[in-house]
Amino acid sequence: MNRNERETRGKRENFDKKSFSFSDIPMWFHFVVIGIILAVIAFSVFKLVKWNQGTAELDQTETGSMEIEVLDQIFLLPEANREGHEYDDEETILFLGNDAITHMQGDDGVCNKVAQKLGATVINCGFPASCVSNKNVNFYDGDAIDAFSFINVANSIASGDYSLMEQNAGKFDNGTYQASINNLKSLDFNKVDTIVIYYNAQDYLNGRIGMDPNNDVNPITYRGALNAGIKALQEKYPFIRIVCMSFTMCYGYDSTGMVSGDRVDLGNGKLTTYLQFMIDISGERGVSFVDNYYGTIDEDNADQMLTDIIHVNEACNEHIAQHFVEAIYPGDN
């Protein structure tokens, strides 16, 4: 073995005698790796939580833009429902609701704003203080407002019989009731393209029952009344597209005072419980759902969007109208 071979062999033997150990890795490298792992986990958890919430931060820039991620679910009317029906060139939209559409009925109201944005004929047939559901199984004269619940309005439209509503309109010192009845009676439903169901949170505030697991069309439950009313309209006028618009966030009262509907159960669930019922029924009946709950009003901006604990102002109506137009008529704005 020559000198060079001996030196090479000696170096290899010295290297083989050394054993690798994690202790040879600098301490700072351990911290860097741990930091990266924790950052990835934190980011993943954050994205998962945001996805489950179904909403993003409200954009309140100086431009007034309110582009947000919401829980909209849009369905097109099946072609089979259109067969045999002749459509005209004018878009006619019927709004059914309560204070959500009657509290402001001029240019500052949501119906007029939709009409202006689309150039469409928009008919406001709202009944103040009414609910989606009935208070009583059988109509009771002492609760005349039940005559104007969504379920009874829908049944009146489907049957063409408005007698219950007309018999009770005079019990309210508000001409809106009779005016809306007159609009419905004179309306040619063959010319109606879209029916929008837009009620504020009266069912929640009045403690109406949320659902009946044994009867999915129970008229004294929010879920059942909404389901039955939409079903009646679909069976009578299958060629009309139906859209459910959710209520906005509002406030209720508990033992501590005024609190967000997100956090107080008035006997039959929190406000989000009723929201989920509307989402579920919309999906089951194949009607579009426009979400006004997430991204519209929250506790941080409520004083800029509400006139009291429930009624929205013109700025909120502008946002709701724009959101509706963009969701339902994306090619017309």
Side-chain angles (χ1 to χ4, degrees), residues 243-264:
V243 178
C244 285
M245 288 177 63
S246 82
F247 43 73
T248 62
M249 187 278 280
C250 70
Y251 289 90
Y253 290 91
D254 66 5
S255 59
T256 65
M258 188 175 73
V259 295
S260 166
D262 279 330
R263 295 186 280 121
V264 59

mmCIF file of all heavy atoms in Angstrom, residues 243-264:
data_model
loop_
_atom_site.group_PDB
_atom_site.id
_atom_site.type_symbol
_atom_site.label_atom_id
_atom_site.label_comp_id
_atom_site.label_asym_id
_atom_site.label_seq_id
_atom_site.Cartn_x
_atom_site.Cartn_y
_atom_site.Cartn_z
ATOM 1 N N VAL A 243 -87.934 33.339 -5.196
ATOM 2 C CA VAL A 243 -86.697 33.684 -4.500
ATOM 3 C C VAL A 243 -87.011 33.966 -3.043
ATOM 4 O O VAL A 243 -87.905 34.754 -2.731
ATOM 5 C CB VAL A 243 -86.024 34.932 -5.118
ATOM 6 C CG1 VAL A 243 -84.758 35.295 -4.343
ATOM 7 C CG2 VAL A 243 -85.712 34.707 -6.590
ATOM 8 N N CYS A 244 -86.286 33.317 -2.137
ATOM 9 C CA CYS A 244 -86.368 33.628 -0.707
ATOM 10 C C CYS A 244 -85.223 34.565 -0.347
ATOM 11 O O CYS A 244 -84.058 34.263 -0.634
ATOM 12 C CB CYS A 244 -86.259 32.360 0.136
ATOM 13 S SG CYS A 244 -87.745 31.344 0.149
ATOM 14 N N MET A 245 -85.560 35.692 0.265
ATOM 15 C CA MET A 245 -84.537 36.601 0.780
ATOM 16 C C MET A 245 -84.570 36.553 2.303
ATOM 17 O O MET A 245 -85.631 36.709 2.917
ATOM 18 C CB MET A 245 -84.784 38.028 0.286
ATOM 19 C CG MET A 245 -84.471 38.221 -1.182
ATOM 20 S SD MET A 245 -84.847 39.895 -1.763
ATOM 21 C CE MET A 245 -83.704 40.859 -0.781
ATOM 22 N N SER A 246 -83.434 36.335 2.907
ATOM 23 C CA SER A 246 -83.397 36.206 4.364
ATOM 24 C C SER A 246 -83.529 37.561 5.048
ATOM 25 O O SER A 246 -83.283 38.614 4.454
ATOM 26 C CB SER A 246 -82.101 35.533 4.813
ATOM 27 O OG SER A 246 -81.039 36.480 4.862
ATOM 28 N N PHE A 247 -83.917 37.512 6.303
ATOM 29 C CA PHE A 247 -83.918 38.708 7.146
ATOM 30 C C PHE A 247 -82.480 39.127 7.430
ATOM 31 O O PHE A 247 -81.530 38.364 7.218
ATOM 32 C CB PHE A 247 -84.655 38.427 8.462
ATOM 33 C CG PHE A 247 -84.303 37.082 9.064
ATOM 34 C CD1 PHE A 247 -83.082 36.852 9.666
ATOM 35 C CD2 PHE A 247 -85.202 36.027 8.987
ATOM 36 C CE1 PHE A 247 -82.753 35.628 10.214
ATOM 37 C CE2 PHE A 247 -84.896 34.785 9.534
ATOM 38 C CZ PHE A 247 -83.668 34.585 10.142
ATOM 39 N N THR A 248 -82.321 40.321 7.939
ATOM 40 C CA THR A 248 -81.016 40.786 8.388
ATOM 41 C C THR A 248 -80.884 40.490 9.882
ATOM 42 O O THR A 248 -81.851 40.110 10.544
ATOM 43 C CB THR A 248 -80.858 42.295 8.165
ATOM 44 O OG1 THR A 248 -81.852 42.980 8.945
ATOM 45 C CG2 THR A 248 -81.022 42.652 6.698
ATOM 46 N N MET A 249 -79.697 40.690 10.401
ATOM 47 C CA MET A 249 -79.499 40.582 11.844
ATOM 48 C C MET A 249 -80.342 41.649 12.540
ATOM 49 O O MET A 249 -80.523 42.757 12.027
ATOM 50 C CB MET A 249 -78.021 40.781 12.190
ATOM 51 C CG MET A 249 -77.679 40.529 13.665
ATOM 52 S SD MET A 249 -78.020 41.906 14.790
ATOM 53 C CE MET A 249 -76.609 42.958 14.507
ATOM 54 N N CYS A 250 -80.885 41.326 13.707
ATOM 55 C CA CYS A 250 -81.607 42.304 14.512
ATOM 56 C C CYS A 250 -81.297 42.025 15.978
ATOM 57 O O CYS A 250 -80.524 41.121 16.301
ATOM 58 C CB CYS A 250 -83.109 42.235 14.237
ATOM 59 S SG CYS A 250 -83.912 40.741 14.864
ATOM 60 N N TYR A 251 -81.936 42.773 16.849
ATOM 61 C CA TYR A 251 -81.718 42.606 18.285
ATOM 62 C C TYR A 251 -82.969 42.069 18.965
ATOM 63 O O TYR A 251 -84.095 42.271 18.492
ATOM 64 C CB TYR A 251 -81.321 43.937 18.931
ATOM 65 C CG TYR A 251 -79.932 44.393 18.560
ATOM 66 C CD1 TYR A 251 -79.718 45.204 17.446
ATOM 67 C CD2 TYR A 251 -78.828 43.991 19.299
ATOM 68 C CE1 TYR A 251 -78.447 45.613 17.094
ATOM 69 C CE2 TYR A 251 -77.545 44.395 18.960
ATOM 70 C CZ TYR A 251 -77.359 45.210 17.853
ATOM 71 O OH TYR A 251 -76.096 45.600 17.511
ATOM 72 N N GLY A 252 -82.755 41.393 20.080
ATOM 73 C CA GLY A 252 -83.827 40.940 20.942
ATOM 74 C C GLY A 252 -83.481 41.311 22.371
ATOM 75 O O GLY A 252 -82.464 41.974 22.627
ATOM 76 N N TYR A 253 -84.291 40.886 23.286
ATOM 77 C CA TYR A 253 -84.060 41.206 24.702
ATOM 78 C C TYR A 253 -84.033 39.936 25.540
ATOM 79 O O TYR A 253 -84.844 39.029 25.344
ATOM 80 C CB TYR A 253 -85.151 42.136 25.235
ATOM 81 C CG TYR A 253 -85.090 43.533 24.678
ATOM 82 C CD1 TYR A 253 -85.798 43.867 23.533
ATOM 83 C CD2 TYR A 253 -84.316 44.515 25.298
ATOM 84 C CE1 TYR A 253 -85.751 45.153 23.016
ATOM 85 C CE2 TYR A 253 -84.263 45.803 24.794
ATOM 86 C CZ TYR A 253 -84.972 46.121 23.651
ATOM 87 O OH TYR A 253 -84.910 47.393 23.134
ATOM 88 N N ASP A 254 -83.083 39.890 26.457
ATOM 89 C CA ASP A 254 -83.078 38.838 27.471
ATOM 90 C C ASP A 254 -82.934 39.494 28.832
ATOM 91 O O ASP A 254 -83.129 40.714 28.962
ATOM 92 C CB ASP A 254 -81.978 37.804 27.193
ATOM 93 C CG ASP A 254 -80.572 38.383 27.318
ATOM 94 O OD1 ASP A 254 -80.425 39.568 27.715
ATOM 95 O OD2 ASP A 254 -79.601 37.652 27.034
ATOM 96 N N SER A 255 -82.583 38.734 29.846
ATOM 97 C CA SER A 255 -82.511 39.276 31.202
ATOM 98 C C SER A 255 -81.432 40.340 31.363
ATOM 99 O O SER A 255 -81.476 41.142 32.304
ATOM 100 C CB SER A 255 -82.255 38.134 32.199
ATOM 101 O OG SER A 255 -81.043 37.459 31.871
ATOM 102 N N THR A 256 -80.482 40.371 30.427
ATOM 103 C CA THR A 256 -79.396 41.356 30.518
ATOM 104 C C THR A 256 -79.703 42.621 29.742
ATOM 105 O O THR A 256 -78.961 43.591 29.807
ATOM 106 C CB THR A 256 -78.081 40.747 29.985
ATOM 107 O OG1 THR A 256 -78.216 40.477 28.579
ATOM 108 C CG2 THR A 256 -77.744 39.458 30.713
ATOM 109 N N GLY A 257 -80.786 42.617 28.971
ATOM 110 C CA GLY A 257 -81.111 43.774 28.157
ATOM 111 C C GLY A 257 -81.103 43.431 26.675
ATOM 112 O O GLY A 257 -81.365 42.284 26.298
ATOM 113 N N MET A 258 -80.790 44.400 25.850
ATOM 114 C CA MET A 258 -80.811 44.205 24.401
ATOM 115 C C MET A 258 -79.545 43.486 23.947
ATOM 116 O O MET A 258 -78.440 43.914 24.264
ATOM 117 C CB MET A 258 -80.919 45.557 23.680
ATOM 118 C CG MET A 258 -81.142 45.433 22.183
ATOM 119 S SD MET A 258 -81.399 47.043 21.383
ATOM 120 C CE MET A 258 -79.727 47.709 21.448
ATOM 121 N N VAL A 259 -79.732 42.393 23.201
ATOM 122 C CA VAL A 259 -78.589 41.626 22.701
ATOM 123 C C VAL A 259 -78.862 41.188 21.268
ATOM 124 O O VAL A 259 -80.005 41.149 20.815
ATOM 125 C CB VAL A 259 -78.304 40.375 23.570
ATOM 126 C CG1 VAL A 259 -77.867 40.771 24.960
ATOM 127 C CG2 VAL A 259 -79.534 39.482 23.628
ATOM 128 N N SER A 260 -77.804 40.858 20.562
ATOM 129 C CA SER A 260 -77.930 40.392 19.179
ATOM 130 C C SER A 260 -78.712 39.089 19.111
ATOM 131 O O SER A 260 -78.603 38.232 19.987
ATOM 132 C CB SER A 260 -76.533 40.194 18.574
ATOM 133 O OG SER A 260 -76.613 39.454 17.375
ATOM 134 N N GLY A 261 -79.521 38.959 18.043
ATOM 135 C CA GLY A 261 -80.258 37.725 17.831
ATOM 136 C C GLY A 261 -79.358 36.517 17.680
ATOM 137 O O GLY A 261 -79.802 35.375 17.813
ATOM 138 N N ASP A 262 -78.091 36.755 17.395
ATOM 139 C CA ASP A 262 -77.111 35.670 17.322
ATOM 140 C C ASP A 262 -76.954 34.973 18.668
ATOM 141 O O ASP A 262 -76.564 33.811 18.730
ATOM 142 C CB ASP A 262 -75.731 36.214 16.919
ATOM 143 C CG ASP A 262 -75.612 36.429 15.428
ATOM 144 O OD1 ASP A 262 -76.263 35.695 14.678
ATOM 145 O OD2 ASP A 262 -74.873 37.337 15.026
ATOM 146 N N ARG A 263 -77.238 35.721 19.737
ATOM 147 C CA ARG A 263 -76.849 35.242 21.056
ATOM 148 C C ARG A 263 -78.004 34.995 22.011
ATOM 149 O O ARG A 263 -77.785 34.572 23.138
ATOM 150 C CB ARG A 263 -75.862 36.228 21.688
ATOM 151 C CG ARG A 263 -74.554 36.318 20.945
ATOM 152 C CD ARG A 263 -73.523 37.182 21.640
ATOM 153 N NE ARG A 263 -73.734 38.606 21.425
ATOM 154 C CZ ARG A 263 -73.940 39.489 22.388
ATOM 155 N NH1 ARG A 263 -73.980 39.095 23.640
ATOM 156 N NH2 ARG A 263 -74.106 40.761 22.114
ATOM 157 N N VAL A 264 -79.235 35.281 21.581
ATOM 158 C CA VAL A 264 -80.358 35.099 22.505
ATOM 159 C C VAL A 264 -81.407 34.183 21.885
ATOM 160 O O VAL A 264 -81.796 34.345 20.739
ATOM 161 C CB VAL A 264 -80.983 36.453 22.906
ATOM 162 C CG1 VAL A 264 -81.492 37.205 21.689
ATOM 163 C CG2 VAL A 264 -82.119 36.258 23.914
#
